[in-house]
Amino acid sequence: MKKFYPLIALAIVLAIAGSYGLDHYRQLREQQQAQTAYLITRCVNQGLLSLFALQANDWAKDSRQLEIEEKRLRERVDALPDAVGVEKPFADWQGALEVCDRLTINSNRQHSTIFRPLTEMAKKEIWSLETAKSEPFQERRKKAIYRTKIAAEAADRYLDDLKADVSRLLDISRISPAARALTEQQLQEAIFTKYRKGAFSKRRVLQYLEWQETFYQLLTDNPKGFTLRGGSLFFYNKNLHRQADDLNRSLLQGEVDFFSNWRLLVQH
């Protein structure tokens, strides 16, 4: 019996070592999953912080903010891995880096779609009455209005598109199911229950764009029906005068509301 004691002792030692090893591996996996989820959650949050900076911008005064914020977002995201403090890369981490990189590219692209048209809408020379009869300027106005309509659609569904983008990138990523589940949970708790759609009104934005389109089309269609005197329009036809006057009044009253709407995309 005594000769079995060493074997029994060895078995106990191996069992304890195996249990310790399994516990250590479990703890390591949980830590890696937490780091993966944290990186992606921070990455999504950085994109939203970038959006807040853009929606607070005065586009009539600063048209360069889009390029500045695009570079700033990339720099902040590039700094995230070091901030998390991963000593040795692992499979889920590599997958998270890929997801984060693609999210950043998509965020900057979406922000450009939403805000770049505002740089054109804020240019006074495009809407100057002195260029009302100019065909090149009319083409610029049409393009600006068309792009802003697309921007309004994108602005209206920003959070929905963000959620769909994150979900799709997680689904096609190389991240393990457990890490993905934890990431989705943390995104829901830290992002999607705290950020919500703002008071952006697509209807009012599109109404303003319709007034712009109708007003300048009216002038384009009637180049001989008016002239510019002292910076003001003078019409030879009373009906044309009334139509243009009503539209111009609506534009003047709606301009502030139009630009204010772009400050209301997302709330925290």
Side-chain angles (χ1 to χ4, degrees), residues 151-166:
E153 295 288 346
D156 188 55
R157 61 174 192 266
Y158 182 85
L159 277 180
D160 289 338
D161 284 351
L162 177 60
K163 290 178 185 178
D165 192 32
V166 172

Side-chain angles (χ1 to χ4, degrees), residues 9-268:
L10 177 61
I12 293 173
V13 169
L14 290 174
I16 293 173
S19 176
Y20 174 80
L22 287 173
D23 188 57
H24 175 71
Y25 177 76
R26 179 184 58 79
Q27 291 179 3
L28 178 62
R29 289 295 296 144
E30 288 178 352
Q31 180 187 37
Q32 290 176 344
Q33 290 163 12
Q35 290 171 327
T36 299
Y38 182 70
L39 175 67
I40 295 175
T41 302
R42 286 283 304 275
C43 187
V44 174
N45 192 60
Q46 287 297 335
L48 280 162
L49 293 178
S50 183
L51 173 75
F52 273 90
L54 289 168
Q55 71 178 23
N57 186 53
D58 186 340
W59 296 98
K61 294 181 179 179
D62 188 2
S63 61
R64 295 178 57 252
Q65 187 62 28
L66 191 61
E67 285 73 20
I68 293 171
E69 195 56 42
E70 181 177 345
K71 181 181 178 182
R72 189 177 295 161
L73 174 58
R74 172 50 69 184
E75 290 174 348
R76 288 196 296 254
V77 169
D78 286 345
L80 285 179
D82 289 338
V84 178
V86 172
E87 296 180 0
K88 186 178 180 180
F90 47 92
D92 282 345
W93 181 255
Q94 294 297 338
L97 290 174
E98 292 171 6
V99 169
C100 191
D101 181 63
R102 176 49 59 181
L103 276 172
T104 303
I105 292 171
N106 292 354
S107 287
N108 277 329
R109 183 179 296 138
Q110 185 75 336
H111 296 166
S112 180
T113 298
I114 292 172
F115 293 106
R116 189 170 297 282
L118 294 187
T119 64
E120 284 291 296
M121 296 298 295
K123 290 179 180 177
K124 298 299 184 182
E125 67 271 16
I126 296 181
W127 314 105
S128 171
L129 295 177
E130 294 180 357
T131 63
K133 295 184 180 183
S134 168
E135 290 186 8
F137 272 91
Q138 178 63 355
E139 286 303 311
R140 286 182 63 183
R141 287 189 284 266
K142 286 181 179 179
K143 288 180 180 179
I145 291 170
Y146 173 74
R147 289 168 181 158
T148 310
K149 287 180 180 178
I150 295 175
E153 295 288 346
D156 188 55
R157 61 174 192 266
Y158 182 85
L159 277 180
D160 289 338
D161 284 351
L162 177 60
K163 290 178 185 178
D165 192 32
V166 172
S167 179
R168 179 184 62 81
L169 289 172
L170 287 175
D171 286 344
I172 65 175
S173 73
R174 297 183 293 169
I175 299 173
S176 65
R180 193 183 311 157
L182 180 61
T183 301
E184 291 171 344
Q185 177 188 334
Q186 289 196 10
L187 284 169
Q188 188 63 31
E189 293 174 354
I191 303 293
F192 296 126
T193 59
K194 293 186 176 180
Y195 292 97
R196 61 188 185 278
K197 185 176 180 180
F200 178 83
S201 174
K202 184 178 71 172
R203 179 188 61 81
R204 290 204 299 270
V205 167
L206 293 179
Q207 176 65 79
Y208 178 82
L209 293 173
E210 183 180 338
W211 289 332
Q212 284 277 29
E213 197 169 28
T214 305
F215 177 73
Y216 284 97
Q217 191 62 54
L218 184 69
L219 300 183
T220 301
D221 292 342
N222 298 275
K224 296 182 179 180
F226 71 94
T227 188
L228 194 64
R229 293 182 180 177
S232 300
L233 294 177
F234 175 81
F235 294 90
Y236 305 110
N237 181 284
K238 289 184 179 180
N239 184 49
L240 184 63
H241 186 185
R242 184 169 58 252
Q243 292 180 61
D245 208 33
D246 290 343
L247 285 167
N248 192 43
R249 189 179 303 110
S250 297
L251 286 172
L252 291 173
Q253 293 173 349
E255 182 177 5
V256 173
D257 180 62
F258 169 79
F259 283 103
S260 295
N261 258 285
W262 302 93
R263 299 174 180 270
L264 308 171
L265 271 65
V266 175
Q267 292 179 333
H268 186 269

